[in-house]
Amino acid sequence: MAIRLTKTPAQPGLFLWVSITLLWGTVFFFTSAFMLGIASRQLSMGLFELPGSDLFRVYGFHIPVLLLFALMAMMVKNLLDPKGEKQMQRQRSVVEGRRERYFVSFAGSMATSFFFTALTATTFIWSSGFTGLRVDLPPAVIVTAAVFNIAAGLAASMFVGIVFMITKVGRK
């Protein structure tokens, strides 16, 4: 017997888009900054050694970047799926057991962590003119840090899944 969804899922609102983007953007900002430092040292390239206070100064520039990203992502999603049909199909797949129930998509986690590393590096480069920080991040350092940061994305996916299992989110 197939399980049916009785109500149409509500489209995520602006508050949800901004909240989730700020949450994950913040997590990946700090993991990306850490990985950029490691990649810079490992490759002996670039310049990326920041004290904690400078990290928070750059984070102040990163917040508007994240807000802009959230708005753009929401607009693109609404253009591609204005009625939320793809979202409803994904939810049906989860309920029917054909998709992950607890763990966030590993492929999505990898892509997100990789993308946010590039976004964080870009923020560091752009904000260095305003903050006076000396930052040099060659493409090789950014790509290497992004690959390293995939581990953070996978760990985040596992953490969220474990929290969902413990709190029994998704169970009927």
Side-chain angles (χ1 to χ4, degrees):
M1 180 169 119
I3 299 171
R4 294 184 194 167
L5 291 176
T6 56
K7 39 184 225 185
T8 304
Q11 291 280 62
L14 178 62
F15 179 78
L16 185 62
W17 276 96
V18 168
S19 299
I20 290 172
T21 302
L22 285 174
L23 169 69
W24 290 112
T26 299
V27 168
F28 286 123
F29 173 81
F30 289 104
T31 62
S32 296
F34 180 71
M35 297 303 179
L36 286 164
I38 289 174
S40 179
R41 287 188 298 278
Q42 288 286 325
L43 298 175
S44 298
M45 297 174 75
L47 176 64
F48 195 80
E49 294 294 330
L50 302 175
S53 61
D54 288 338
L55 190 64
F56 287 103
R57 285 183 23 209
V58 176
Y59 179 70
F61 285 91
H62 197 60
I63 291 172
V65 171
L66 292 174
L67 293 174
L68 181 61
F69 176 75
L71 294 174
M72 288 176 18
M74 182 178 162
M75 288 182 349
V76 168
K77 188 266 180 202
N78 287 337
L79 285 173
L80 297 176
D81 188 22
K83 294 181 182 178
E85 293 167 353
K86 291 179 184 176
Q87 178 182 0
M88 190 166 29
Q89 184 180 3
R90 278 191 305 274
Q91 287 179 353
R92 269 196 204 103
S93 295
V94 169
V95 169
E96 293 169 356
R98 293 183 286 128
R99 288 185 65 121
E100 68 277 345
R101 180 172 289 232
Y102 297 113
F103 295 100
V104 179
S105 164
F106 284 122
S109 298
M110 291 168 40
T112 301
S113 57
F114 195 93
F115 169 78
F116 272 104
T117 303
L119 188 65
T120 299
T122 303
T123 302
F124 273 101
I125 293 166
W126 286 343
S127 68
S128 65
F130 298 102
T131 60
L133 296 175
R134 292 191 47 218
V135 174
D136 178 26
L137 294 170
V141 170
I142 296 170
V143 170
T144 302
V147 169
F148 290 167
N149 206 35
I150 288 173
L154 294 176
S157 178
M158 294 295 292
F159 176 74
V160 169
I162 290 167
V163 168
F164 282 2
M165 284 184 357
I166 290 170
T167 61
K168 299 183 184 190
V169 169
R171 288 192 185 176
K172 296 215 174 199

